[in-house]
Amino acid sequence: MQHIDTDLSVSDLLDARVREHGDRVFCTWQQESITYAELGERVDRLANGLLANGITAGSHVAVMLAHHPDHILTLLALLRIGAIEVPINTHLRGEGLCYQLSHSEPQAIIADEEFAEQLLPALDAVGGPVRLIWRGANEPQPTAQTQVIGFVEMSRGPAGRPAHRAGAGDIVAICYTSGTTGAPKGVLMTDAMYRAAATSSLLLSGIDEGDVPLFWEPMYHLFGIEVVVLALCKPVTLAMVERFSASSFWRWARASKATHIHYVGGVLQLLLRQPPQPEDRSHGIRVAWGGGCPTQTWHPFEERFGIEMRDSFGMTETAALNIVNTRGIPGALGVPLPYFEARVIDEAGEPAGTGEVGQLLIRGKQPGIVTPGYYRNPEATAATIREGWLHTGDLVRQDEDGVFWFFARQKDSIRRRGENVSAWEVERVINQHPQVEESAAIMVVNEFGDEDLKVFIKPVGKPFAVEPFLSWCRERMAKFQVPRFVAFADDFPRTPTQRIRKHELSKALDDGWDAEKLASAP
């Protein structure tokens, strides 16, 4: 496929599947099977229920739902009516959650009861009236600013397709990605970006009609959304499970007759750490597709499980994946997909030579498949998108065969457990601890070859109790933001402008505390 068909919206794809493959099973979930026809009807009823309650085209709707079919319905119903979804990472709490609710200005929030403890204290951050659409039996009490509506009631709207039809360039979501030197940025997502992400996954994975992807990916990330849209591009069956589990993964794959698996973060490494079993190859999986497979993991995973690896590079701002590795070269990013362009520039902004390290730039060959910018952040938009090229902040090189290779990040961020972790966000919270004068968070490579988080603390007074400090962090940060390694510093090396020279901080794993072992170094 050389281009994205921008005449078709995601909702148009749903209509096509209902019309052409209505009796096919779109998704299995526990003991339930949902056909494309049933999916279309349920999406329309929810969409009409939303419209009847004042949620219309352009409304901002924050979504804090777990991984279940109702989350799929919500995603597609919001697309149906042209509302703008704000996917909320369900691990967020405290300041991180309050910031996104305040900055995105939602008129409605759709949430699962299981997140009440995190969400309800953060509602005041919205700063105005909000409809809380509650999925659960124990509805919170309404307030002067909050109207509470049951999700079940909302999902029983009248049948019939709402009239709205999204265009390729329409903004359909604000997806927050961790900042590096400032607050998280809300990436503006177009309908075309969703379809580009799904099309790219199809090209990378080789998924075709009748295949069965194992669907565990959370839909508060683009890599989960793209799998849903993928299943509207091709008539496949999503074998949906509640969450990733290394111990249950292959049992689920065999039971569902899955043909493809998707990976991000440390998923492959977690599966390799499971004790070898005689049935390691007794499954129907043909391909594992995703991003960021470590070089040292590639061949061991293929050899143990008998699965072809297909890797890629991308980011939320560029519709998830743009450069793909289908040639089986461990460690390579690969070559650009046909509807994207990539180039490397040096520090002066000039084209880098073959084999020369420089910053990677991405541009779409079609309108709408790269973000138009960041919500309420014109400065970040201007700094990131220049003359049509998106500056990724990643350092790469391109070899004589046109293959791109990753070198390093310019950005002060860590890729941990599939999440982009901003050092700035971590330090901002930790510096509020009463015994912390200053902190510095850095990326380290752990014993499994994965990126992990280490924080250096300049304490106020002694002794400093690490275990209570980590508990304090867990109450205020998402679990992927809580540092694993904690070390101490009497002072930090600094630039003349007093910035901490983080590259001079030790990346050793044994010079402080390891939260997973809860024991201090000698």
Side-chain angles (χ1 to χ4, degrees), residues 184-224:
K185 294 176 290 188
V187 182
L188 296 171
M189 306 295 295
T190 66
D191 189 272
M193 289 175 70
Y194 276 4
R195 285 176 293 113
T199 302
S200 300
S201 267
L202 285 171
L203 289 172
L204 177 62
S205 65
I207 290 173
D208 207 346
E209 182 173 344
D211 282 332
V212 182
L214 186 63
F215 182 36
W216 61 269
E217 304 90 325
M219 284 176 278
Y220 51 72
H221 279 311
L222 183 54
F223 57 74

Side-chain angles (χ1 to χ4, degrees), residues 358-394:
Q359 184 180 182
L360 175 66
L361 275 57
I362 300 287
R363 180 167 70 179
K365 292 182 179 179
Q366 297 179 234
I369 63 173
V370 171
T371 184
Y374 300 105
Y375 182 62
R376 293 176 58 192
N377 197 338
E379 297 83 5
T381 299
T384 303
I385 304 172
R386 291 173 246 162
E387 298 179 351
W389 290 93
L390 188 136
H391 292 60
T392 67
D394 289 306

Side-chain angles (χ1 to χ4, degrees), residues 27-247:
C27 175
T28 60
W29 165 255
Q30 298 175 353
Q31 305 305 312
E32 181 183 9
S33 293
I34 303 170
T35 66
Y36 282 102
E38 292 167 339
L39 174 70
E41 180 183 354
R42 291 170 66 176
V43 166
D44 286 343
R45 288 189 180 279
L46 178 57
N48 287 319
L50 292 166
L51 288 169
N53 282 275
I55 300 165
T56 60
S59 296
H60 290 196
V61 182
V63 176
M64 196 171 187
L65 293 173
H67 197 61
H68 45 63
D70 282 347
H71 198 157
I72 297 177
L73 299 181
T74 299
L75 166 68
L76 297 179
L78 293 174
L79 286 167
R80 253 326 190 210
I81 63 176
I84 297 173
E85 182 186 2
V86 183
I88 300 292
N89 189 315
T90 55
H91 297 293
L92 284 180
R93 58 178 58 243
E95 289 190 20
L97 178 57
C98 287
Y99 176 80
Q100 292 190 16
L101 292 177
S102 170
H103 188 262
S104 63
E105 306 172 309
Q107 286 82 53
I109 301 172
I110 303 176
D112 272 318
E113 183 180 321
E114 65 181 282
F115 306 119
E117 181 265 334
Q118 299 154 245
L119 177 61
L120 296 181
L123 288 180
D124 287 345
V126 175
V130 65
R131 296 174 179 83
L132 182 58
I133 302 164
W134 199 249
R135 187 178 177 274
N138 301 306
E139 293 184 0
Q141 291 297 314
T143 68
Q145 294 292 317
T146 308
Q147 176 188 2
V148 181
I149 308 167
F151 182 89
V152 172
E153 173 191 346
M154 187 76 72
S155 65
R156 291 173 177 164
R161 169 77 151 87
H164 182 80
R165 183 183 187 276
D170 285 2
I171 302 300
V172 296
I174 303 169
C175 294
Y176 282 86
T177 184
S178 289
T180 53
T181 58
K185 294 176 290 188
V187 182
L188 296 171
M189 306 295 295
T190 66
D191 189 272
M193 289 175 70
Y194 276 4
R195 285 176 293 113
T199 302
S200 300
S201 267
L202 285 171
L203 289 172
L204 177 62
S205 65
I207 290 173
D208 207 346
E209 182 173 344
D211 282 332
V212 182
L214 186 63
F215 182 36
W216 61 269
E217 304 90 325
M219 284 176 278
Y220 51 72
H221 279 311
L222 183 54
F223 57 74
I225 294 170
E226 76 190 49
V227 176
V228 175
V229 180
L230 176 157
L232 302 180
C233 296
K234 293 263 187 186
V236 301
T237 298
L238 301 180
M240 190 176 197
V241 295
E242 186 176 1
R243 61 175 60 86
F244 173 79
S245 167
S247 59

